[in-house]
Amino acid sequence: MGTDNQTWMHEFILLGLSSDWNTEVSLFILFLLMYLVTVLGNFLIIVLIRLDSRLHTPMYFFLTNLSLVDVSYATSIVPQLLAHFLATHKAIPFLSCAAQLFFSLGLGGIEFVLLAMMAYDRYVAVCNPLRYSAIMHTGLCSRMAIVSWVGGSINSVMQTAITFQLPMCTNMYIDHISCELLAVVRLACVDTSANEVAIMVSSIILLMTPFCLVLLSYIQIISTILKIQSKEGRKKAFHTCASHLTVVALCYGMAIFTYIQPHSSPSVLQEKLISLFYAILTPMLNPMIYSLRNKEVKGAWQKLLGKFSEFTSKLKT
């Protein structure tokens, strides 16, 4: 009977953040502006890296992938969220819900693995600077990126498949801003222990394992930096890792808090805020972090703006 009901159900209702019209209009304007900044910021980072040959290095190759993942992740959630702010019937079709879960879950997993790959790149840059070019060659970087994308995608396919095979019965109200994994699993009218185990296993593989690799990389990096005699040398070595370390702290913290212990998960409001953090705030902040804290990126911006000024001056004359 559960399966029949699940087949009959053709849409879900997302309860979102608020039911007050004025609040929803205000949130629509705020999140629209943040989304536009996110898209523009990440697009400019990708273009900048492509145009400036000085940024054609492994670190910026991974940053290009990270920006692509960030803007895609935001796009998988925010446009639907914005549409629902102005809609009276906040429904999402069954297949659209499954697609949203697939893309958001996949892109989230890809980002965590990418951050581990970037940590390894920083480890080689600081601990083996003389062999950096030989170790981090184009072939290895490409394979590392492929592993990130394939690993996240495989996990997403598996999680989406086993989640939407659950009988939902007549539970059609998702108390969330999007079709988030834990929120959808809670709709099931059967025992979801197997799904919770699957979530735990995938969290260990795609979240805790990369996090441990990041941790090991930075233990080695910090140990190497502390051995540098020159204060200026230590500062320069740490500066090469500062941006990545900031992004790591932002991305891993809340995800570990949310997914490692589904039985003792945070409140629904906390889950919504965490989802907003990943869908809007993190993708918007990442380009800013790499732009403001990185001399090479700032130099590339200045060079690009200089060329743009010259071009506009020629047009005026």
Side-chain angles (χ1 to χ4, degrees):
M1 182 175 178
T3 306
D4 292 339
N5 285 337
Q6 185 190 22
T7 305
W8 168 81
M9 191 185 303
H10 62 280
E11 67 179 18
F12 297 103
I13 306 297
L14 290 166
L15 299 183
L17 289 171
S18 173
S19 58
D20 178 71
W21 171 251
N22 291 329
T23 302
E24 289 190 316
V25 171
S26 300
L27 290 174
F28 172 84
I29 295 170
L30 174 63
F31 292 153
L32 175 61
L33 291 174
M34 293 176 73
Y35 177 64
L36 293 175
V37 171
T38 296
V39 173
L40 180 63
N42 283 284
F43 175 74
L44 287 175
I45 283 286
I46 293 170
V47 170
L48 185 69
I49 292 170
R50 294 292 299 171
L51 292 178
D52 197 312
S53 59
R54 294 174 300 176
L55 301 182
H56 293 176
T57 63
M59 176 182 173
Y60 296 105
F61 168 75
F62 290 122
L63 180 55
T64 300
N65 279 266
L66 184 65
S67 291
L68 182 59
V69 168
D70 278 341
V71 75
S72 300
Y73 186 90
T75 302
S76 72
I77 293 176
V78 180
Q80 165 262 310
L81 176 65
L82 294 173
H84 279 194
F85 279 138
L86 303 181
T88 52
H89 185 59
K90 304 180 189 303
I92 182 169
F94 184 91
L95 289 177
S96 297
C97 187
Q100 186 180 66
L101 177 61
F102 168 76
F103 284 110
S104 61
L105 197 60
L107 291 163
I110 292 166
E111 179 156 5
F112 293 134
V113 181
L114 265 177
L115 288 172
M117 302 299 185
M118 294 173 79
Y120 177 73
D121 171 70
R122 294 299 83 203
Y123 159 75
V124 177
V126 174
C127 301
N128 286 288
L130 298 179
R131 298 187 59 224
Y132 179 74
S133 299
I135 296 173
M136 298 301 297
H137 54 82
T138 304
L140 178 63
C141 293
S142 299
R143 288 194 291 271
M144 290 168 73
I146 290 169
V147 167
S148 303
W149 285 85
V150 172
S153 300
I154 290 174
N155 172 68
S156 183
V157 168
M158 293 173 60
Q159 290 289 350
T160 303
I162 64 174
T163 298
F164 282 92
Q165 283 180 351
L166 289 170
M168 306 296 178
C169 299
T170 56
N171 300 330
M172 62 186 299
Y173 292 94
I174 301 177
D175 193 3
H176 212 278
I177 63 167
S178 66
C179 292
E180 193 268 344
L181 180 59
L182 295 178
V184 175
V185 168
R186 277 197 294 267
L187 296 182
C189 54
V190 295
D191 180 42
T192 59
S193 298
N195 291 77
E196 290 171 2
V197 170
I199 293 170
M200 178 72 74
V201 171
S202 70
S203 297
I204 291 171
I205 295 172
L206 281 179
L207 183 57
M208 289 308 298
T209 301
F211 177 70
C212 289
L213 292 174
V214 170
L215 215 55
L216 288 172
S217 296
Y218 274 100
I219 289 171
Q220 292 294 323
I221 288 170
I222 292 169
S223 176
T224 302
I225 290 174
L226 292 176
K227 293 176 183 176
I228 298 174
Q229 300 296 322
S230 164
K231 182 180 178 181
E232 187 63 31
R234 287 197 300 271
K235 184 179 178 181
K236 184 179 178 181
F238 180 75
H239 195 270
T240 64
C241 307
S243 299
H244 178 257
L245 197 55
T246 305
V247 172
V248 164
L250 283 172
C251 289
Y252 279 107
M254 288 192 180
I256 292 172
F257 179 64
T258 306
Y259 288 105
I260 290 302
Q261 294 180 320
H263 282 295
S264 57
S265 58
S267 69
V268 172
L269 178 59
Q270 284 177 313
E271 284 186 12
K272 292 178 183 181
L273 293 176
I274 289 168
S275 292
L276 284 172
F277 178 84
Y278 280 108
I280 299 179
L281 197 58
T282 300
M284 184 182 72
L285 289 177
N286 283 355
M288 297 180 187
I289 291 168
Y290 277 99
S291 296
L292 296 174
R293 298 184 63 89
N294 192 296
K295 289 181 180 179
E296 292 173 325
V297 174
K298 285 192 284 188
W301 278 125
Q302 291 168 358
K303 180 181 175 183
L304 185 63
L305 290 172
K307 287 184 177 180
F308 181 74
S309 298
E310 288 178 12
F311 177 72
T312 54
S313 297
K314 288 178 180 178
L315 287 178
K316 289 178 181 179
T317 55

